[in-house]
Amino acid sequence: RLNDLLGAIRGKPEEQAVNIAVLTSMRQAVYSPDRREHYALAFPLYTHFTSPIRRYPDLHLHQTLKNLFPPGKATLPASLPARKGLGAEASLVALGIHASGAERKAMRIEGEVVAFRRLELLKKSSLRQHKAIVTGVKDFGVFVEIQEFFCESLITKDELARHGLTPAECLPNRKRKGVDHVYGGLGRGFHLGEELVVEVTEIDMAGRRCKVAYVGRAGN
């Protein structure tokens, strides 16, 4: 179970990398008039209420409930008639599709702004070398996240080869998708959550990315 997994890695070096992997593996929510259970809460029926200033579907729901239960009404019905006052099925489906797409767009824009600001802070830093956490290991390189600024980058295979580190499959069954790799040649391979020291070599503000060079393992 996910809760057991998250509990087992709590406080360990790989906690952050595993938490991110679990989050990114989950499907994004969609708005729909269909009855859908909430996976995380394990509710068979679910309606989401947040501030209506954030999402139009929430505002629509608030307005509908206000019409169904006007202020000052002495008694409320024991149960709400199915879909009463919610509008035509086709219009609700269209609203859900539009709202889901608009939210995805807003999230992408938010992500770009956050990435830009993080790189901006990194660029202003007087330090050239930083501690970074290993977040992924592939045949083409090692993904790391600079801890202080939460900026992700890739240490390329060629860069690692300069230090005598070459990729080797740790899951040799080629029929499996997403084969992970380790880098060996100078002692043990890298693992998720391991601390490395990297040097920032380039910051591309327009592309929202930075390049780093491998310096060594933290503490060595």
Side-chain angles (χ1 to χ4, degrees):
R1 295 190 178 188
L2 287 179
N3 285 338
D4 296 333
L5 170 64
L6 297 177
I9 53 92
R10 187 171 293 118
K12 295 183 178 180
E14 58 269 22
E15 178 180 7
Q16 182 180 346
V18 173
N19 284 341
I20 293 174
V22 170
L23 284 174
T24 54
S25 69
M26 294 182 178
R27 292 187 303 172
Q28 288 183 304
V30 295
Y31 295 105
S32 170
D34 297 334
R35 294 183 175 183
R36 301 188 181 193
E37 67 177 21
H38 190 284
Y39 175 75
L41 298 179
F43 290 163
L45 298 177
Y46 176 74
T47 298
H48 185 60
F49 290 95
T50 62
S51 169
I53 200 172
R54 290 187 61 201
R55 300 178 180 90
Y56 180 73
D58 296 332
L59 176 61
H60 180 74
L61 205 52
H62 278 262
Q63 291 172 334
T64 300
L65 290 173
K66 186 176 180 180
N67 292 333
L68 291 169
F69 307 116
K73 189 173 181 180
T75 59
L76 298 178
S79 61
L80 180 65
R83 301 186 187 277
K84 179 181 178 182
L86 289 177
E89 175 81 11
S91 65
L92 289 175
V93 171
L95 172 61
I97 294 173
H98 172 76
S100 298
E103 185 167 293
R104 301 291 186 274
K105 182 178 180 180
M107 291 173 65
R108 286 195 299 271
I109 294 173
E110 179 184 9
E112 288 190 9
V113 172
V114 170
F116 184 89
R117 292 303 183 190
R118 287 173 174 172
L119 288 173
E120 193 173 49
L121 291 173
L122 178 61
K123 192 173 184 178
K124 292 179 180 179
S125 174
S126 59
L127 300 175
R128 294 196 61 183
Q129 294 185 0
H130 303 270
K131 286 186 177 181
I133 292 287
V134 175
T135 58
V137 183
K138 297 297 179 181
D139 61 338
F140 49 83
V142 176
F143 288 101
V144 296
E145 184 179 87
I146 299 176
Q147 290 180 268
E148 187 177 358
F149 300 96
F150 301 100
C151 294
E152 190 173 58
S153 186
L154 172 70
I155 306 175
T156 65
K157 177 174 64 176
D158 292 340
E159 167 64 16
L160 291 169
R162 289 178 53 242
H163 297 267
L165 298 167
T166 56
E169 288 184 353
C170 61
L171 292 176
N173 186 351
R174 295 182 179 274
K175 293 182 179 180
R176 296 188 61 174
K177 296 182 179 179
V179 175
D180 290 328
H181 292 72
V182 295
Y183 277 77
L186 290 177
R188 59 188 172 84
F190 297 133
H191 60 82
L192 291 182
E194 183 174 2
E195 279 192 353
L196 306 179
V197 178
V198 300
E199 181 176 327
V200 178
T201 59
E202 181 184 338
I203 296 179
D204 179 6
M205 299 298 294
R208 314 289 192 272
R209 60 180 178 268
C210 65
K211 292 183 180 180
V212 298
Y214 175 72
V215 175
R217 300 178 191 270
N220 289 353

